[in-house]
Amino acid sequence: MKCYFVPPAAQPPEAGDGESASGIASLPLSLLARHGARILDPVAVPVAQGWPAPRSTVYRARTLLVPYRLQQEPFLSAVNDVLREVGMRLVPVPPPSQLAGYEQLAALPGVAVLTADPQRRAPVVVDAWTALTALRDAAREQDDATHGQDASRGRGDAVLAAADVRQISLEHLLVGALITGTPEVDGNPEVDGNAVIAPYLSATGDSRIPVEVYADPPPRGTDGQCKERYGRRPVVAILDTGVRAHPWLGVTRAGAAGGGYHTAADGSVRVDRGIQHAILVNDSIAAAAGDLAGALIKDPWDTPVTADPLVGEIEVALGHGTFISGIFRQAVPDATVLSIRIMRSDDTVYEGDLILALKLLAARVARAQDPADPKPELMIDAISLSLGYFNESSSDVAYTTGLAALIDTLLDMGVLVVAAAGNNSTSRPFYPAAFAAQPRPAGALSLVSVGALNPNSTRALFSNGGRWVSAWASGVMVVSTFPDDVNGSLKSAQEVPARPEAGLGGQHGPARTRESLDPDDFRGGFAAWNGTSFSAPALAAWVVGALLDGARDDPATLTLADTAQAATVNRALHALRRRGWEGG
């Protein structure tokens, strides 16, 4: 595994115009319809006066990300007074009960649903960009009026000031940062005749290739041994597709009666059913209010194998979380992976789900660090994110999303956050990885954004790159765990009819079919795959390894048993600097 940080002062400009984002304009219509999403066309949408012209992005049409304060009265009435003029209204979605007592987290934006105004008789196209533009225009008018005579919109003291509206944003549809077949490939120049991506794909157009591994799982210490060596076992959270069965991970099928999967008590993967349930409840409330969401994520397991049983092709992101979990199993076997499922197996993530999951993880860390009653068993040491989106406006990205503030909150708690740079071969910022370019206070942790390296240590042609990419790690033909209960509909290119084979002593053995490689039969349990999706966890595992080295070498000050915020930040900074990081 090859990993290195790039010193900020040594960041060279990357090739590319910084604007292109191949893949956005050619997402299949079926995918967009499934998730109630649209592609923002910069030349065909209104723009609020004083706001920058947008660039292409993918957003969910019936939702906005709105601070909970603005989803309550009297602000909600002020918002709906404006939206009524464009035939829409905003339906609030309350924060989950798990955030009670965490005002800072609860205050950050969450999903709110847009519907047609029931008092409007004419048909209305409910569209989040139109709604956001109307709110921005109204806020500008009110700010102008305030500097003159009066602010007429809103009830009582609730006036939609520009500072408030700047905290309202689109809910982006994120994709996993991997090299794959559809949706990034169907009719897309990324693959069809494009020399950038095509060399990394198999003949089937998929970069997942079944492989065999002649190795036992790396030795993993017991809980007692980890406590003795490091103070406790480290925990890394991955927000991804969830996991499926694999013996290296301690995940097994639950059987026909119960369905789903089990995680072994001594396995390397855990799930947090409380967080998972909160995501389901939140999305269910939004769906009941009128959100056009795809299938709700009801459990922590990576399903379905295929969206179309008649075709039987494996979903493009299936196995993604299992594969990432296997990277940690190989590179830092004493760590526990906390798997939170927010990515569907069609490679999509709702930004609202990502924000909610991070809020709930931050609340969990806050409980672990409670000075009056610390709970080390709840601590999260690192978060690995293999997903992202292209924002419509880089000039105001720090103000129009709660995602940056939430990541900063986790960093301030001492949680290492690592994000994949994306695979569009562009220098246009890909978020959340591109938040790494935002300045942080001296002595503070920074988000780490990771690009992909080829096996020969050169930078992968498909990897995004730019001054916002702060580290590079292996991401091409990576070998890791893959669900051992997956066999798609594709067949091997050539089969030789079965016939009895001679066995020992002249006896005939059973008939054995001879065939070429079946490209989507993964029952061997391992695969080779490409993408910055795998560079990010590789880099995270490398740093967590340094965290363990420090705890073992200097238990007096770097033990993992101490979950106080100051101690956690100090440990993470020590581990990063041990690996050559020059930030902070």
Side-chain angles (χ1 to χ4, degrees):
M1 182 173 68
K2 304 172 181 68
C3 302
Y4 64 85
F5 287 98
V6 181
Q11 284 278 36
E14 291 280 350
D17 59 13
E19 296 294 327
S20 65
S22 58
I24 281 183
S26 56
L27 290 175
L29 291 177
S30 59
L31 181 82
L32 297 174
R34 186 184 311 152
H35 300 293
R38 294 194 179 114
I39 296 173
L40 183 68
D41 183 351
V43 301
V45 296
V47 180
Q49 184 176 344
W51 289 77
R55 293 180 292 179
S56 292
T57 191
V58 186
Y59 66 99
R60 304 196 61 239
R62 290 201 176 188
T63 56
L64 286 171
L65 295 175
V66 183
Y68 289 120
R69 176 178 64 88
L70 300 180
Q71 295 189 39
Q72 302 173 41
E73 296 295 356
F75 299 99
L76 182 60
S77 291
V79 169
N80 281 330
D81 283 347
V82 174
L83 295 183
R84 189 174 297 114
E85 297 183 8
V86 289
M88 289 180 268
R89 69 178 180 129
L90 190 76
V91 181
V93 176
S97 59
Q98 289 93 328
L99 293 179
Y102 299 100
E103 288 76 12
Q104 180 184 1
L105 298 174
L108 293 172
V111 166
V113 178
L114 291 165
T115 65
D117 183 356
Q119 298 178 3
R120 181 83 166 239
R121 294 186 177 182
V124 174
V125 176
V126 177
D127 180 76
W129 179 259
T130 301
L132 184 59
T133 301
L135 291 169
R136 288 173 171 177
D137 270 334
R140 175 186 57 80
E141 293 171 4
Q142 290 173 38
D143 279 3
D144 290 345
T146 301
H147 287 93
Q149 296 180 355
D150 185 35
S152 58
R153 292 185 191 270
R155 293 185 182 179
D157 296 329
V159 175
L160 288 182
D164 289 334
V165 174
R166 281 186 177 277
Q167 299 176 61
I168 301 175
S169 68
L170 298 175
E171 184 191 12
H172 299 91
L173 185 71
L174 286 69
V175 296
L178 51 85
I179 294 297
T180 181
T182 56
E184 290 195 37
V185 169
D186 282 347
N188 185 331
E190 280 194 38
V191 167
D192 294 347
N194 187 326
V196 173
I197 303 298
Y200 293 95
L201 299 176
S202 70
T204 65
D206 193 331
S207 76
R208 294 171 293 194
I209 301 174
V211 297
E212 187 62 78
V213 170
Y214 294 142
D216 293 326
R220 174 176 163 83
T222 65
D223 288 347
Q225 290 171 331
C226 289
K227 183 176 182 179
E228 181 180 354
R229 294 169 183 166
Y230 323 119
R232 61 172 173 81
R233 193 185 290 281
V235 178
V236 180
I238 62 169
L239 280 57
D240 215 271
T241 62
V243 293
R244 291 176 69 94
H246 199 283
W248 278 29
L249 307 179
V251 181
T252 57
R253 289 176 292 279
Y261 296 84
H262 287 312
T263 55
D266 59 348
S268 62
V269 170
R270 294 281 188 277
V271 297
D272 188 319
R273 292 189 178 273
I275 291 179
Q276 204 68 61
H277 180 68
I279 294 170
L280 173 60
V281 169
N282 191 77
D283 289 352
S284 297
I285 294 172
D291 182 17
L292 295 178
L296 297 176
I297 295 176
K298 297 181 179 179
D299 56 51
W301 316 120
D302 186 3
T303 57
V305 172
T306 176
D308 189 347
L310 293 178
V311 176
E313 290 186 348
I314 295 174
E315 285 279 70
V316 294
L318 188 85
H320 197 239
T322 302
F323 196 92
I324 290 171
S325 297
I327 291 173
F328 286 104
R329 182 70 178 87
Q330 295 176 79
V332 56
D334 282 342
T336 287
V337 170
L338 181 67
S339 173
I340 307 295
R341 183 184 175 206
I342 61 168
M343 185 185 294
R344 290 159 174 83
S345 54
D346 65 2
D347 198 31
T348 59
V349 178
Y350 300 168
E351 188 178 5
D353 287 346
L354 170 60
I355 288 176
L356 179 56
L358 290 173
K359 286 180 182 177
L360 295 169
L361 286 174
R364 173 174 165 149
V365 173
R367 292 195 298 274
Q369 296 182 335
D370 184 352
D373 183 22
K375 296 179 174 58
E377 69 277 9
L378 296 179
M379 190 60 200
I380 306 294
D381 298 286
I383 296 174
S384 180
L385 301 173
S386 295
L387 41 77
Y389 67 96
F390 293 103
N391 191 275
E392 65 276 9
S393 175
S394 60
S395 62
D396 66 333
V397 69
Y399 306 101
T400 60
T401 176
L403 186 54
L406 187 51
I407 290 174
D408 283 348
T409 297
L410 286 158
L411 293 168
D412 290 341
M413 289 176 157
V415 179
L416 174 73
V417 183
V418 178
N423 308 310
N424 300 90
S425 193
T426 179
S427 58
R428 177 178 171 183
F430 184 74
Y431 295 93
F435 288 134
Q438 294 189 6
R440 293 275 291 154
L445 284 178
S446 297
L447 172 72
V448 179
S449 54
V450 192
L453 297 175
N454 291 310
N456 64 356
S457 297
T458 58
R459 296 182 179 182
L461 201 58
F462 62 75
S463 180
N464 293 347
R467 295 181 185 274
W468 52 273
V469 178
S470 56
W472 295 78
S474 301
V476 173
M477 295 307 291
V478 177
V479 175
S480 189
T481 53
F482 200 87
D484 65 4
D485 58 351
V486 171
N487 182 19
S489 62
L490 300 179
K491 299 297 181 183
S492 55
Q494 186 174 359
E495 292 186 2
V496 177
R499 63 179 182 177
E501 296 180 351
L504 295 175
Q507 301 296 316
H508 290 287
R512 300 291 185 189
T513 299
R514 295 167 60 84
E515 64 180 28
S516 57
L517 178 70
D518 186 331
D520 63 356
D521 187 343
F522 293 95
R523 289 175 293 180
F526 294 91
W529 213 344
N530 306 306
T532 59
S533 269
F534 315 125
S535 305
L539 193 286
W542 187 53
V543 177
V544 171
L547 197 72
L548 299 186
D549 291 342
R552 188 170 44 233
D553 296 345
D554 185 6
T557 56
L558 300 177
T559 175
L560 272 60
D562 187 353
T563 58
Q565 185 170 333
T568 304
V569 171
N570 180 59
R571 277 199 306 270
L573 289 171
H574 183 276
L576 285 165
R577 289 168 180 152
R578 189 166 184 149
R579 294 305 192 205
W581 180 70
E582 296 182 10

